């Protein structure tokens, strides 16, 4: 089944579920009128359906590869990226001062969803560039902004983020890459970075690497990390890429999926770099890019969920197998297949609503300067990332199940969705780390942001939802009172419970706005709220039971 961009569904969620009208009512985003939103979503949908979706299988069958030190990308990817860049989609939310559109993040996420559904391996490239633009806007000098951001927006140059090293995975503070002052305002960056998405390509004039490294006087741990811009080719004063920098792609990873996206091992040998932000404050600058990417990766999970769901429903509506109670006689009339398909629809809708609610909160924070909106966006970010990617994985694997034996056959395309989406629960901070962030950093306010969000949910006139909100408030109070080990032990189920309560609330809002959605909302509430209760019970179980067994007993 060909991918069809869910333009009307995106509009419905923005207009009737997450209150995008509040964003459009601000002075900063006054240009995001209904007519503008419709035009943007329609055109991005057309691009995704007609230009990008045909590339998805090409990227899987013909992976990016390293040839004599040069990355060769999958057939058609260069033209696909050019179409994304020419449409202005790279700089949708970027500052107009440097050539961006200055549009809300919510619209960027909606467009990214469609592009990701069409071809996730290619969409990862713009996602990295968008995150780098935001980081440079927030932390770079005027000179770096003026030189790099316009080129990134135009698509002439691409951006990456370089955090991970072989000995330092999620423990970024253990990195060893060093930066020595050259005496002229630049630095010599030396070290190796791994898992660098789109670390190189054969269609950009330059690749701009944001690299975490340590200055000679740096303190140990994350407090001693600085951030540097290290371009593949050193630009001259006019911005023309000149001499090659002393960096290279050592190898590309052979991956389970996302074959069209080159994941590089990068080597820096005294490469020339420029400091971004203050010395030893690199993590703060990089977290700007990472937080952008975390929401973006949650949307990637949603992207695959939507595409896999469409694929599975198309198959279920055509495949005839066994006897059914009535209807068209296809497998969609079997109760178990219908259960799987409805589960897909329920969770995909919830993941979309969570992501868009998060984006709206970030937009409102930017437009109003209100700390409450910023806190809401920060709280929703790990939920959007973890639930969005978990949903993508679950919907993709259920899609294989709907296809039956044909789902295990590569030619149907069902398996690629699962292979491609699986990494999204790992990169940009594993989903376990997202959950730990939620119960740790995001509850450092004593739970104030969580309680405010729960107050909002409790306004929905539904007894079952209100009871679940009350129980989730109690669990939040329990979390706030515990030490970190007990919080972390229940972090994943706590996040899952929060996501399911949010999802039920969004389904009820949708039904209130459109009564034809009432039946789906009934199914959603009947499934999501009991699941939330089970997750809440696990969230309060504490760490003692996890450590009752010794390491030797676990390994036995």
């Amino acid at each position: 089944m060909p991918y069809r961009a869910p333009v009307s569904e995106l509009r419905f969620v923005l207009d009737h579920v997450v209150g995008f009208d509040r964003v459009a009512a601000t002075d900063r985003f006054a240009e995001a009128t209904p007519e503008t939103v419709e035009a943007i979503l329609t055109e991005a949908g057309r691009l995704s359906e007609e230009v990008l979706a045909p590339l998805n299988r090409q990227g899987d069958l013909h992976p990016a590869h390293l040839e004599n030190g040069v990355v060769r990308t999958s057939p058609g990817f260069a033209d696909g990226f050019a179409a994304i860049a020419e449409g202005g989609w790279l700089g949708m939310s970027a500052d107009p001062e440097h050539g961006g559109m200055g549009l809300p993040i919510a619209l960027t996420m909606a467009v990214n969803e469609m592009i990701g559904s069409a071809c996730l391996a290619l969409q990862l490239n713009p996602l990295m560039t968008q995150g780098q633009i935001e980081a440079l806007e927030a932390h770079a000098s005027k000179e770096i902004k003026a030189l790099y951001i316009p080129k990134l927006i135009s698509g002439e140059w691409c951006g990456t983020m370089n955090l991970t090293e072989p000995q330092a995975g999620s423990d970024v503070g253990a990195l060893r890459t060093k930066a020595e002052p050259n005496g002229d305002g630049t630095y010599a960056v030396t070290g190796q970075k791994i898992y660098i998405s789109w670390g190189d390509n054969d269609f950009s004039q330059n690749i701009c690497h944001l690299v975490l490294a340590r200055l000679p006087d740096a303190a140990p741990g994350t407090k001693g990390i600085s951030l540097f811009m290290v371009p593949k080719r050193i630009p001259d004063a006019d911005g023309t890429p000149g001499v090659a920098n002393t960096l290279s792609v050592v190898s590309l990873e052979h991956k389970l999926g996302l074959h069209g996206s080159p994941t590089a091992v990068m080597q820096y040998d005294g490469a020339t770099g420029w400091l971004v932000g203050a010395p030893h404050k690199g993590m703060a600058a990089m977290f700007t890019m990472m937080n952008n990417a975390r929401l973006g990766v949650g949307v990637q999970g949603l992207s695959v969920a939507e595409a896999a769901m469409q694929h599975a429903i198309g198959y279920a509506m055509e495949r005839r197998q066994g006897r059914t109670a009535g209807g068209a006689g296809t497998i969609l009339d079997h109760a178990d297949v219908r259960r799987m398909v409805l589960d897909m629809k329920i969770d995909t809708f919830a993941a979309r609503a969570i992501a868009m609610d998060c984006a709206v909160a970030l937009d409102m924070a930017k437009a109003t300067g209100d700390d409450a909106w910023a806190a809401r966006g920060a709280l929703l970010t790990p939920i959007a990332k973890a639930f969005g990617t978990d949903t993508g994985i679950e919907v993709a694997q259920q899609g294989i199940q709907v296809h039956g034996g044909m789902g295990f056959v590569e030619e149907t395309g069902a398996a690629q969705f699962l292979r491609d989406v699986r990494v999204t629960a790992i990169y940009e901070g594993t989903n376990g780390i997202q959950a730990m962030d939620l119960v740790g950093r995001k509850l450092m306010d004593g739970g104030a942001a969580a309680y405010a969000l729960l107050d909002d949910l409790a306004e929905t006139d539904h007894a079952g939802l209100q009871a679940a909100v009350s129980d989730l408030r109690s669990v939040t109070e329990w979390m706030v009172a515990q030490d970190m080990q007990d919080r972390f032990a229940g972090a994943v189920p706590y996040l899952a419970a929060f996501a399911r309560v949010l999802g039920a609330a969004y389904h009820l809002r949708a039904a209130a706005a459109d009564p034809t959605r009432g039946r789906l909302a009934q199914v959603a509430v009947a499934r999501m709220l009991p699941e939330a209760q089970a997750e809440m019970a696990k969230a309060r179980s504490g760490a003692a039971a996890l450590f009752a067994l010794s390491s030797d007993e676990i390994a036995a």
Side-chain angles (χ1 to χ4, degrees):
M1 178 180 177
Y3 168 70
R4 291 290 175 259
V7 172
S8 60
E9 185 71 1
L10 284 162
R11 279 298 308 269
F12 179 84
V13 170
L14 289 170
D15 293 344
H16 300 293
V17 179
V18 300
F20 181 75
D21 58 314
R22 294 171 294 183
V23 176
T26 65
D27 291 340
R28 181 168 190 139
F29 297 120
E31 293 184 5
T33 62
E35 295 77 16
T36 298
V37 172
E38 181 70 23
I40 286 172
L41 296 183
T42 299
E43 181 56 26
R46 185 203 62 77
L47 169 72
S48 300
E49 292 176 356
E50 299 177 8
V51 179
L52 304 179
L55 302 178
N56 196 45
R57 194 66 174 151
Q58 289 293 315
D60 192 51
L61 296 175
H62 306 284
H65 62 280
L66 193 61
E67 182 180 285
N68 298 322
V70 177
V71 170
R72 302 298 183 190
T73 55
S74 301
F77 272 39
D79 290 339
F81 180 81
I84 294 171
E86 289 167 6
W89 306 116
L90 294 166
M92 283 184 63
S93 296
D95 193 329
E97 179 182 353
H98 298 111
M101 295 185 189
L103 290 168
I105 295 170
L107 290 185
T108 296
M109 291 299 111
V111 169
N112 283 358
E113 181 201 320
M114 292 185 282
I115 294 176
S117 291
C119 186
L120 186 65
L122 180 56
Q123 188 267 340
L124 188 53
N125 183 312
L127 181 66
M128 293 293 97
T129 296
Q130 289 167 349
Q132 186 172 111
I133 290 169
E134 186 170 348
L136 294 178
E137 286 180 344
H139 302 283
S141 65
K142 291 182 179 180
E143 292 77 15
I144 289 179
K145 290 180 185 178
L147 178 59
Y148 284 87
I149 294 179
K151 299 288 189 181
L152 292 167
I153 289 174
S154 70
E156 296 170 79
W157 298 357
C158 292
T160 75
M161 56 194 300
N162 288 236
L163 292 80
T164 308
E165 298 181 7
Q167 80 292 340
S170 299
D171 182 13
V172 180
L175 68 82
R176 297 171 185 163
T177 299
K178 61 182 181 180
E180 301 279 350
N182 287 325
D184 60 357
T186 66
Y187 296 81
V189 177
T190 301
Q192 187 175 97
K193 299 289 184 176
I194 63 173
Y195 302 148
I196 309 307
S197 297
W198 281 95
D200 196 14
N201 67 63
D202 54 2
F203 52 72
S204 298
Q205 295 178 10
N206 209 356
I207 313 292
C208 308
H209 301 285
L210 279 182
V211 182
L212 291 178
R214 294 188 185 281
L215 293 168
D217 59 345
T222 57
K223 293 182 179 180
I225 296 174
S226 300
L227 183 64
F228 299 86
M229 171 61 77
V230 187
K232 177 182 177 179
R233 306 190 74 86
I234 299 175
D236 62 21
D238 297 325
T240 302
V243 63
N245 212 341
T246 51
L247 56 87
S248 61
V249 178
V250 176
S251 62
L252 298 183
E253 304 294 353
H254 299 280
K255 302 176 295 183
L256 175 68
L258 287 182
H259 295 155
S261 171
T263 301
V265 176
M266 298 296 304
Q267 181 67 38
Y268 297 89
D269 295 306
T272 302
W274 285 261
L275 185 66
V276 175
H280 317 307
K281 300 296 182 181
M283 286 304 296
M286 185 58 87
F287 261 109
T288 299
M289 185 172 185
M290 288 178 65
N291 283 330
N292 176 291
R294 283 175 173 174
L295 174 56
V297 170
V299 171
Q300 287 187 328
L302 163 63
S303 295
V304 175
E306 175 67 33
M309 179 183 70
Q310 289 187 20
H311 202 68
I313 291 175
Y315 183 81
M317 292 180 69
E318 294 177 355
R319 174 66 169 165
R320 295 179 182 275
Q321 185 78 19
R323 295 182 178 180
T324 61
T330 68
I331 63 171
L332 190 58
D333 293 324
H334 289 290
D336 189 56
V337 173
R338 188 157 293 217
R339 172 192 62 81
M340 289 188 285
V341 168
L342 286 177
D343 279 352
M344 293 178 186
K345 289 185 70 70
I346 288 165
D347 283 352
T348 299
F349 176 89
R352 179 178 288 120
I354 291 172
M356 292 305 157
D357 201 356
C358 180
V360 164
L362 297 174
D363 284 327
M364 291 300 294
K366 184 178 288 188
T368 67
D370 188 337
D371 290 341
W373 280 115
R376 179 173 175 138
L379 180 77
L380 284 170
T381 295
I383 301 174
K385 195 277 184 182
F387 184 72
T389 56
D390 283 344
T391 295
I393 293 167
E394 178 61 20
V395 170
Q397 77 89 10
Q398 288 280 34
I400 293 175
Q401 194 73 12
V402 169
H403 280 75
M406 292 305 296
F408 204 66
V409 175
E410 286 288 354
E411 282 75 9
T412 65
Q416 184 185 344
F417 294 123
L418 182 57
R419 290 188 288 101
D420 283 353
V421 77
R422 185 59 186 87
V423 72
T424 62
I426 298 171
Y427 61 26
E428 301 309 330
T430 67
N431 286 0
I433 287 175
Q434 303 304 315
M436 292 164 66
D437 176 54
L438 178 63
V439 302
R441 185 178 289 109
K442 298 307 189 296
L443 294 184
M444 287 178 65
D445 61 357
Y451 299 143
L453 180 54
L454 292 173
D455 288 342
D456 186 25
L457 300 182
E459 293 180 3
T460 299
D461 186 16
H462 185 278
L465 177 66
Q466 291 176 347
V469 168
S470 178
D471 290 342
L472 187 53
R473 181 183 296 274
S474 296
V475 177
T476 303
E477 292 169 350
W478 182 90
M479 280 285 176
V480 170
Q482 306 308 306
D483 62 27
M484 283 299 172
Q485 191 76 327
D486 283 329
R487 291 194 200 187
F488 290 163
V492 167
Y494 176 74
L495 186 151
F498 220 129
R500 280 158 177 75
V501 172
L502 283 166
Y506 296 135
H507 274 285
L508 289 168
R509 286 184 196 172
D514 178 4
T516 64
R517 294 172 178 259
R519 290 182 182 178
L520 182 63
Q522 288 177 358
V523 177
V525 169
R527 199 212 77 181
M528 299 186 95
L529 293 186
E531 288 179 345
Q533 292 292 347
E535 298 291 356
M536 283 187 250
K538 289 189 286 186
R540 300 177 76 150
S541 61
L546 299 179
F547 291 91
L549 291 172
S550 68
S551 297
D552 289 340
E553 288 174 310
I554 292 173

